[in-house]
Amino acid sequence: MNIKKVNFFDLKLFKKLMGFVKPYKLNYYLVLIYAISLSVFSILTPYFLKVIVDDYITKKDYDGMVFFILMMLITLILEVSFQFLFVFNANLLGQNVIKDIRNNLFKKIIHFKLGYFDNTAVGRLVTRVVNDIETIASIFSQGLFMIIADLLKMSMVIIIMLIVNWKLSLIVFSILPIIIYATRLFQKSMKIAFEEVRKEVANLNSFVQERISGIKIVQIFNRELLDHSMFRQINMKHKNAWLKTVWFNSIFFPVAEISSSVTIGLLVWYGGLNVSAGDGVTLGIIFLFIQMSQMLFRPLRQIADKFNSLQMGMVSTSRIFKILETESSISDNGTINPNFIKGKINFKNVNFSYLPGQQIIFDLNLNISAGESIAIVGPTGAGKSSIINLISRFYEFDNGEIKIDDLDIRKIRINALRNFVSVVPQDVFLFAASIYENVTLFDYSISKDFVIKAAKEIGVHEFISKLPNDYDYNIRERGVMLSSGERQLIAFLRVFIINPNILILDEATSSIDSYSESIIQKAISKITKNKTSIIIAHRLETIKKTNKIIYLEHGRIIEKGTHIELMKKKSGKYRKLYNIQFRKNQNQINNLNPLK
């Protein structure tokens, strides 16, 4: 067994967590004060009961005990009050801490480079941001401070016991090692069990998130039964992980309860003999020890539960800090923050690979003049999308040089760079919000009137105005209420409002319908005017008018020139690809017009 796995408390990790407590020092110290106060008030009630039994009930002095009953009532009210303040402030501290951690975690995640998400399931990240962080709150609300309060209470109980009667104390202490040993075994077992629970929760979340996101594929390929079967297996593992915790609980708590009952029996037996023999033990002392033994054992039993909360919180803390300490962001060491760029782009001897040893781009040299429109074509996997990922610095290139307006892009601040570069992807992502919010990306400083004016300029206002509530129409998650062409139009409007200097269209016209095609062509003409434009397209008919066409294959430039220049090359790759598409389109037209 891995010893590290069963360590109940990682002090180094806890110190990192306590770093988030610093802004809430007052709240933290108040919780500690309330914990100490609770330990004092909790032992006063049984001691008052001992005095009442020995000094008033046995002597039948009922008038004199009114004062102590009143003191017990006051003590009870104070104990309840401090209990309330303790629980409230411990939870308040926990919620403040996880609020800050969640903010830091989300900020960290949204700055990760895209390669991180290529290898990390979204469902797992959702589990970290939501479930795991919420579990950290239990360290403060149910774990650490509750354990501190219980340990203080137990310490006070032990001191009072030894002062009152050391012989009866030994009876209680003789059973104590059994409960401590059982608690330790229980805590170790639960640590391992809860690690497995957290792993299975992440697996479950990841599977459900992927299947719901891809529900269309699931139903198109009739995978419902198979996916349900897979879900049942994952769900069974999740259940079995939780059952381990139930099994350990079902063993520990009966053992603790039996030990407590045996202790009470021994106290009554031995104390009763001493009362009969007049050996310094009174009925009040027996009552006191019975109550205090429960005050000693009950926290021990509850500490096991609180250890569970603390351990689950520490497991979650470990997972969260693993992400917080992950270095997977593009290095933003740039110091240049230009106010304007013309849009000149130069690639010099650029090499790039997503994974070590799997090179995608080979010694790329490419010059694009400001305001020029170029098209990049080639077979799937040629490296077309990789080039635009490098321009936007979504990935780091291995070596070489990329410059914009003769400035090394690594010396330009990433935020500044991306303010001037916009990408319209093939698969447009839209949020479950209104069209206005999707266009402005929730930047409410952009007025709706400005959006409407821009929509009219690029010719998409008519389609939006026909929708229910027009610009306030909620298009639901991923824009499912719109066609692929309509989603593309929203993406064009989004870019037009940003007004970048460099515009990249990544297969932006590959999946449009006939209704949207003319509107999209008009929009493209409008948004690319006076901008440096890079168009990646399979449909070669749409790029004939670009200033330059680059034919890419296996990460290398094979051909470049205008459409007319490339078509003059009889054995050229571009010409061959164009002729294949032309014949294919002609055949489709003939099939639609059989009489022709």
Side-chain angles (χ1 to χ4, degrees):
M1 182 181 291
N2 189 337
I3 298 300
K4 188 176 180 180
K5 279 203 165 190
V6 297
N7 280 343
F8 135 73
F9 203 73
D10 187 333
L11 186 58
K12 186 177 179 181
L13 184 63
F14 181 70
K15 285 181 179 178
K16 293 178 184 177
L17 179 62
M18 290 304 288
F20 286 91
V21 176
K22 288 181 180 178
Y24 311 102
K25 282 184 178 179
L26 177 61
N27 196 198
Y28 172 75
Y29 289 125
L30 282 174
V31 172
L32 291 180
I33 291 170
Y34 296 144
I36 294 169
S37 302
L38 274 173
S39 66
V40 173
F41 288 120
S42 62
I43 64 168
L44 287 178
T45 301
Y47 186 79
F48 286 149
L49 180 61
K50 179 250 182 208
V51 173
I52 290 171
V53 170
D54 284 345
D55 297 347
Y56 298 100
I57 292 179
T58 55
K59 297 178 180 179
K60 297 183 180 182
D61 182 4
Y62 301 116
D63 294 329
M65 70 179 182
V66 172
F67 171 77
F68 281 96
I69 291 175
L70 183 61
M71 290 299 296
M72 287 179 67
L73 180 61
I74 293 171
T75 301
L76 181 62
I77 292 171
L78 288 172
E79 185 178 358
V80 169
S81 300
F82 277 101
Q83 182 74 28
F84 164 75
L85 291 170
F86 172 76
V87 172
F88 177 80
N89 280 275
N91 278 275
L92 178 62
L93 178 62
Q95 290 301 318
N96 280 326
V97 167
I98 66 169
K99 176 204 69 178
D100 292 345
I101 294 176
R102 187 179 280 121
N103 285 337
N104 284 11
L105 183 63
F106 186 75
K107 181 181 178 181
K108 183 80 174 183
I109 289 173
I110 61 175
H111 283 91
F112 278 152
K113 56 188 177 184
L114 294 184
Y116 179 85
F117 301 98
D118 294 339
N119 302 302
T120 307
V122 174
R124 291 182 183 276
L125 291 176
V126 172
T127 300
R128 301 294 176 264
V129 175
V130 181
N131 300 61
D132 281 342
I133 286 189
E134 202 60 46
T135 307
I136 292 176
S138 64
I139 292 178
F140 300 95
S141 61
Q142 302 171 38
L144 178 68
F145 292 119
M146 289 290 187
I147 291 172
I148 291 173
D150 286 341
L151 290 175
L152 287 171
K153 186 186 297 183
M154 290 164 62
S155 300
M156 294 292 291
V157 165
I158 289 171
I159 292 170
I160 296 299
M161 279 183 168
L162 288 171
I163 292 173
V164 173
N165 191 296
W166 66 269
K167 292 181 180 178
L168 289 177
S169 299
L170 289 179
I171 292 176
V172 177
F173 298 161
S174 65
I175 305 297
L176 200 57
I178 298 173
I179 297 181
I180 292 174
Y181 181 69
T183 301
R184 180 61 177 161
L185 286 179
F186 178 67
Q187 169 264 314
K188 285 184 176 183
S189 302
M190 291 299 282
K191 172 69 161 43
I192 298 171
F194 277 129
E195 284 181 339
E196 188 173 345
V197 166
R198 300 311 303 167
K199 183 186 78 173
E200 295 304 331
V201 167
N203 289 339
L204 195 64
N205 284 351
S206 181
F207 184 87
V208 171
Q209 189 272 334
E210 284 186 341
R211 288 328 184 264
I212 292 176
S213 297
I215 190 65
K216 189 174 182 179
I217 296 298
V218 171
Q219 294 185 356
I220 286 174
F221 291 95
N222 198 26
R223 304 282 290 186
E224 293 94 334
L225 290 177
L226 178 60
D227 281 349
H228 183 238
S229 176
M230 293 171 66
F231 177 80
R232 286 167 65 91
Q233 293 177 27
I234 295 171
N235 198 27
M236 180 62 72
K237 290 181 180 178
H238 177 259
K239 184 199 79 170
N240 290 338
W242 272 110
L243 282 179
K244 285 185 181 179
T245 68
V246 174
W247 169 252
F248 295 137
N249 275 289
S250 64
I251 293 175
F252 171 75
F253 286 103
V255 169
E257 195 63 39
I258 290 170
S259 300
S260 178
S261 299
V262 168
T263 303
I264 293 173
L266 289 173
L267 286 172
V268 172
W269 170 72
Y270 183 78
L273 291 177
N274 277 266
V275 170
S276 300
D279 197 16
V281 176
T282 64
L283 285 176
I285 291 175
I286 294 176
F287 274 107
L288 176 67
F289 268 79
I290 289 174
Q291 281 195 290
M292 286 201 165
S293 67
Q294 295 307 296
M295 291 174 65
L296 191 61
F297 292 163
R298 192 181 301 116
L300 269 179
R301 296 198 300 270
Q302 292 174 348
I303 278 177
D305 267 344
K306 290 156 190 172
F307 275 148
N308 295 344
S309 298
L310 185 56
Q311 286 174 340
M312 286 188 73
M314 293 304 290
V315 169
S316 295
T317 302
S318 175
R319 294 174 187 270
I320 295 301
F321 275 95
K322 186 177 180 181
I323 297 177
L324 287 173
E325 293 169 0
T326 297
E327 293 301 327
S328 187
S329 302
I330 297 291
S331 299
D332 191 7
N333 299 321
T335 56
I336 302 173
N337 194 4
N339 294 320
F340 176 79
I341 65 169
K342 295 178 181 178
K344 177 184 174 183
I345 304 173
N346 302 103
F347 283 75
K348 184 179 179 181
N349 302 325
V350 173
N351 293 283
F352 170 67
S353 53
Y354 288 104
L355 297 172
Q358 299 181 23
Q359 196 164 340
I360 303 296
I361 302 295
F362 297 85
D363 200 30
L364 181 71
N365 288 279
L366 177 63
N367 297 314
I368 306 171
S369 301
E372 186 178 23
S373 65
I374 75 159
I376 304 177
V377 301
T380 301
K384 302 185 295 294
S385 295
S386 299
I387 291 175
I388 65 172
N389 284 333
L390 296 180
I391 293 173
S392 301
R393 290 204 71 194
F394 293 135
Y395 294 87
E396 289 280 21
F397 48 97
D398 300 336
N399 50 59
E401 198 174 59
I402 301 177
K403 290 185 175 182
I404 293 180
D405 285 4
D406 297 322
L407 296 173
D408 188 329
I409 63 169
R410 287 174 170 168
K411 294 180 180 179
I412 303 173
R413 292 187 61 85
I414 289 179
N415 286 343
L417 174 68
R418 292 176 184 169
N419 279 337
F420 298 115
V421 181
S422 284
V423 180
V424 179
Q426 177 182 2
D427 183 18
V428 178
F429 187 92
L430 299 176
F431 297 94
S434 69
I435 286 181
Y436 164 71
E437 289 169 323
N438 270 283
V439 170
T440 61
L441 293 175
F442 304 93
D443 182 355
Y444 298 108
S445 66
I446 302 173
S447 70
K448 190 180 292 185
D449 289 338
F450 182 80
V451 172
I452 294 171
K453 181 181 177 182
K456 288 177 178 178
E457 281 192 56
I458 65 171
V460 302
H461 173 72
E462 184 179 353
F463 121 73
I464 297 175
S465 61
K466 291 179 180 178
L467 297 172
N469 299 322
D470 49 71
Y471 289 85
D472 292 321
Y473 179 57
N474 191 310
I475 55 180
R476 308 300 179 193
E477 188 173 3
R478 295 179 179 268
V480 295
M481 305 304 291
L482 302 178
S483 69
S484 58
E486 289 169 337
R487 290 197 291 271
Q488 205 75 61
L489 290 172
I490 298 300
F492 286 132
L493 180 56
R494 181 188 284 171
V495 168
F496 185 65
I497 285 176
I498 294 172
N499 193 28
N501 299 77
I502 298 173
L503 179 64
I504 300 170
L505 305 181
D506 185 7
E507 304 285 4
T509 61
S510 63
S511 59
I512 59 175
D513 50 73
S514 57
Y515 168 76
S516 303
E517 183 166 9
S518 61
I519 305 176
I520 286 179
Q521 291 302 330
K522 178 183 176 182
I524 290 175
S525 176
K526 189 73 177 178
I527 66 176
T528 57
K529 187 177 181 180
N530 300 323
K531 290 181 174 61
T532 303
S533 306
I534 302 173
I535 303 171
I536 295 176
H538 280 302
R539 298 174 63 194
L540 304 185
E541 193 66 31
T542 63
I543 60 168
K544 289 167 64 175
K545 295 181 181 180
T546 55
N547 301 123
K548 189 190 301 179
I549 297 173
I550 308 295
Y551 187 91
L552 201 68
E553 192 171 276
H554 302 304
R556 293 181 171 89
I557 295 177
I558 306 299
E559 297 172 359
K560 59 182 175 181
T562 64
H563 171 75
I564 294 173
E565 290 170 347
L566 294 177
M567 288 301 290
K568 288 179 180 178
K569 296 183 178 182
K570 292 184 178 180
S571 59
K573 296 266 189 178
Y574 175 81
R575 174 173 172 163
K576 181 180 178 181
L577 183 62
Y578 182 86
N579 288 335
I580 290 172
Q581 282 196 14
F582 180 78
R583 285 195 297 270
K584 182 179 178 182
N585 292 338
Q586 194 62 47
N587 289 335
Q588 289 175 346
I589 292 171
N590 291 337
N591 289 334
L592 292 172
N593 300 278
L595 298 178
K596 186 174 180 180

